[in-house]
Amino acid sequence: MSNEKITALAKAVATGKADAQKLAHEAISARIAPGEILIKALIPAMKKVGEGMQEEEYAFPEIQSAVKALQSVLDILRPALEGASSSTGIQKWEGAGELYELGGHLVTFLDKGAELQGYDLILFLDECIRGLLEQVALPCHKQAASTHK
Amino acid sequence: MTKPMTPKERLAAVDEFREPDVMPVFPRIMAQAIYGKGWMLGDISTKTEINGEKVAEAFLESVKEIGYDWPFGGYMDHGFGVPPLGGTLKIPDKFGVSVSIDEPVIKERSDWASVQNKLPLDPMKDGRCRGTLQSIKIISKEIGDTHPLFAAYYTGITAANILFRKVSDLSLDAAEEPEFVDELCKAATAWCNDWIRAQYEAGCNSFCYLGDHFGTDLISPKMGERFILPYIADTVAMVKKEFGQKTYLHIHGNFKGPKAYNLLERLVKEAGVAGLHMDEKHDPKWIKENIVEKWHIPAGIIVHGADPIQSGPPEKIDAHVKEAIEAIGTPGLGYFMAPSCQVLPDTSNANFKAWVDATHKYGKYPLGSLKQG
């Protein structure tokens, strides 16, 4: 039962569905630990996004909507995990390049979360979102920078 | 001594895969012509009006001084149609800055219903369109016999972005409510077609030149099939049917992946795009092998992105142009020189001219004749 909930949540985040937060609430009600939700649902979901980018299936719209769904879930997990953090150990996003390259960076980056626990996982995904969105929106920024200054 | 071809004759030669005298240059010039004249954009445009006579003066001087081949008939930016629909523009007061959308027409999806009541939009009801049409008339009268004057705008999701909605909002719409984006694309393309009709009626005498800055930079090939392909096809068909002209396309993004390349092929084979102008992600060799030789349509080659033209110095620009033209080899039919996107607004006339002169020097046909002495 818990596996089904985790799978449904991962799919909802990866495909940017609005019911991701509702599914996360259901998972919590079913006593699935927040850490388990992060490791078994959210990180695999974002890996799917990375793979979609590598396969030319995902671009700005799909990434934006997946991130929106992810953030809606992080919002409800955050209070439960808030507390001790070793945030100095959180990896910084350093990936750059075109969409397919960013997809590869995303998958590799997410692998670095395997050793993290608790609130560090939230901070790790926050950094992932920040770095990813900054890079994916770069064509808009570049266009603005080159012509709008 | 053979008489030099006119820019119009060069376009015909490139399009028909004959040898021009020299490789023509299409700078896709927009605000640079105004800054190059020593003016600011506020000198030719307000938020609601464009001074067509001043624009024509700047563009005619630009064509004459720089010597490029294919101009637009007037000053182009992303603000056409926006003010009559309730959006506002920001006219920059700093050098080298483009006009931008200050307040978009559609801030919330719920705004669409009231915007629809203002459609279809007549270009003549926009003072900035009227001014541009006036400049097209003047420029056409002055150089229309020798120069091709392209009608130009954007279709599909790019037109929807420019006319209605911020990129980030439209992008999220595409994921969450694609039917809404379909409606925006349809309405924006209808406006595009009317705006292009008005440009032809004012004196544009050549191909239509469409732009797309979403391409695969911002959306997937699958979304491109939905939000780009049918709208390009619609405008290509309208231009062919009503004006008997072909359409070339400038599109952003990396098209080297199999799905993206398939979209590009469909734009050519299904939508009927007759010439392509890619961005800096595609070097001349790739363009030669994957576009010109594969589909037998003309294409623009570029010099390592926009930066060398913008930053110079002329010696570096000269070397980049030489390298780009040598990369396509002989006989080198079906090529023109183009910037990665546009000759950027803050490019100096000296650098701009160095790029054009170098193209005409190294692009003398038969190609390679300069090297052979």
Side-chain angles (χ1 to χ4, degrees):
Chain A
M1 187 64 179
S2 66
N3 275 349
E4 284 171 21
K5 289 193 183 300
I6 288 285
T7 304
L9 176 56
K11 191 175 175 188
V13 170
T15 54
K17 293 287 183 288
D19 64 353
Q21 193 176 57
K22 178 176 153 273
L23 292 169
H25 276 300
E26 286 176 14
I28 290 167
S29 300
R31 298 189 180 282
I32 300 173
E36 194 177 346
I37 293 174
L38 283 158
I39 290 169
K40 292 189 176 171
L42 303 189
I43 288 180
M46 291 311 288
K47 276 193 175 184
K48 282 276 180 204
V49 172
E51 288 162 9
M53 292 165 71
Q54 290 175 297
E55 291 162 8
E56 302 180 86
E57 293 288 339
Y58 273 38
F60 197 22
E62 294 86 355
I63 296 162
Q64 265 184 303
S65 65
V67 164
K68 190 177 167 185
L70 172 65
Q71 282 172 323
S72 76
V73 177
L74 291 180
D75 283 348
I76 62 167
L77 297 182
R78 211 177 289 273
L81 290 170
E82 212 152 17
S85 159
S86 59
S87 56
T88 50
I90 307 297
Q91 288 281 336
K92 285 280 172 207
W93 174 281
E94 288 174 348
E98 296 184 35
L99 277 175
Y100 71 95
E101 293 169 312
L102 290 174
H105 286 304
L106 177 57
V107 171
T108 308
F109 185 81
L110 290 164
D111 283 338
K112 294 172 186 163
E115 304 300 316
L116 300 173
Q117 291 182 344
Y119 200 66
D120 281 354
L121 273 166
I122 302 259
L123 295 174
F124 172 73
L125 284 172
D126 284 343
E127 171 62 14
C128 177
I129 291 168
R130 183 203 63 76
L132 178 63
L133 283 186
E134 187 179 277
Q135 288 298 318
V136 170
L138 209 53
C140 320
H141 300 325
K142 271 174 75 178
Q143 192 171 332
S146 66
T147 61
H148 298 159
K149 303 287 168 179
Chain B
M1 187 81 174
T2 319
K3 192 180 164 195
M5 284 182 166
T6 65
K8 238 181 190 176
E9 289 167 339
R10 287 173 190 156
L11 173 60
V14 168
D15 191 62
E16 294 162 13
F17 279 73
R18 292 184 281 109
E19 275 193 355
D21 56 347
V22 294
M23 182 179 290
V25 179
F26 173 54
R28 202 165 174 270
I29 185 170
M30 297 160 92
Q32 197 281 339
I34 308 303
Y35 291 116
K37 168 85 176 157
W39 290 344
M40 303 296 283
L41 286 184
D43 292 323
I44 59 110
S45 178
T46 67
K47 292 180 180 185
T48 54
E49 302 285 336
I50 278 178
N51 184 325
E53 286 182 8
K54 290 189 83 170
V55 166
E57 184 186 335
F59 272 72
L60 286 167
E61 192 172 301
S62 169
V63 172
K64 192 175 167 191
E65 185 181 332
I66 310 293
Y68 52 86
D69 295 277
W70 305 343
F72 286 141
Y75 161 75
M76 295 281 168
D77 65 28
H78 292 178
F80 296 116
V82 173
L85 293 177
T88 57
L89 307 180
K90 187 173 182 183
I91 310 296
D93 54 12
K94 281 195 295 189
F95 169 78
V97 181
S98 295
V99 166
S100 55
I101 312 286
D102 206 14
E103 286 286 329
V105 170
I106 300 175
K107 291 192 258 314
E108 305 295 333
R109 289 175 194 164
S110 56
D111 295 340
W112 176 227
S114 62
V115 173
Q116 278 178 290
N117 292 333
K118 298 173 186 168
L119 299 172
L121 179 62
D122 178 357
M124 295 310 287
K125 287 184 179 165
D126 182 338
R128 300 182 85 254
C129 290
R130 284 197 304 274
T132 300
L133 296 173
Q134 186 192 14
S135 82
I136 290 172
K137 278 180 194 160
I138 297 168
I139 292 172
S140 170
K141 196 174 164 191
E142 288 289 324
I143 61 170
D145 288 343
T146 52
H147 288 69
L149 299 178
F150 296 137
Y153 199 58
Y154 309 84
T155 65
I157 193 163
T158 299
N161 159 226
I162 292 168
L163 193 60
F164 296 128
R165 195 120 161 93
K166 276 171 61 178
V167 171
S168 53
D169 292 335
L170 188 59
S171 170
L172 199 55
D173 295 337
E176 293 181 345
E177 214 169 313
E179 295 80 10
F180 172 57
V181 178
D182 288 334
E183 286 187 43
L184 298 187
C185 289
K186 197 174 168 187
T189 302
W191 152 249
C192 161
N193 288 351
D194 285 343
W195 179 216
I196 283 170
R197 286 183 181 104
Q199 291 176 50
Y200 275 119
E201 283 157 16
C204 286
N205 61 12
S206 186
F207 298 168
C208 174
Y209 213 101
L210 294 178
D212 188 294
H213 59 232
F214 270 62
T216 54
D217 262 350
L218 293 173
I219 59 175
S220 66
K222 191 175 176 186
M223 279 206 179
E225 288 170 6
R226 178 167 181 166
F227 299 129
I228 298 174
L229 181 66
Y231 302 102
I232 298 275
D234 186 72
T235 301
V236 168
M238 182 282 288
V239 168
K240 187 176 178 185
K241 184 180 173 193
E242 296 183 25
F243 303 100
Q245 294 287 1
K246 294 181 177 181
T247 297
Y248 281 18
L249 173 68
H250 168 56
I251 190 161
H252 285 203
N254 185 334
F255 283 86
K256 294 175 183 171
K259 290 171 186 169
Y261 189 69
N262 181 57
L263 172 63
L264 197 63
E265 184 168 21
R266 291 185 68 189
L267 284 164
V268 172
K269 294 184 176 172
E270 293 175 30
V273 167
L276 280 169
H277 166 189
M278 315 298 288
D279 68 13
E280 77 275 6
K281 297 178 189 77
H282 311 82
D283 61 36
K285 188 169 177 285
W286 189 91
I287 286 167
K288 175 186 177 177
E289 290 170 359
N290 295 281
I291 296 177
V292 177
E293 291 183 348
K294 196 110 171 182
W295 302 327
H296 203 66
I297 61 163
I301 56 169
I302 58 170
V303 285
H304 300 272
D307 277 346
I309 309 171
Q310 185 192 29
S311 56
E315 298 75 28
K316 188 176 167 188
I317 296 169
D318 187 278
H320 277 303
V321 169
K322 183 173 184 282
E323 186 186 336
I325 293 177
E326 283 179 356
I328 61 170
T330 56
L333 304 181
Y335 297 94
F336 57 95
M337 182 63 74
S340 179
C341 179
Q342 58 174 296
V343 168
L344 294 173
D346 55 351
T347 303
S348 71
N349 279 352
N351 286 356
F352 188 180
K353 186 162 171 42
W355 176 57
V356 174
D357 288 349
T359 303
H360 287 167
K361 179 173 69 173
Y362 297 113
K364 190 173 181 332
Y365 283 79
L367 282 189
S369 53
L370 189 73
K371 199 162 52 178
Q372 291 157 13

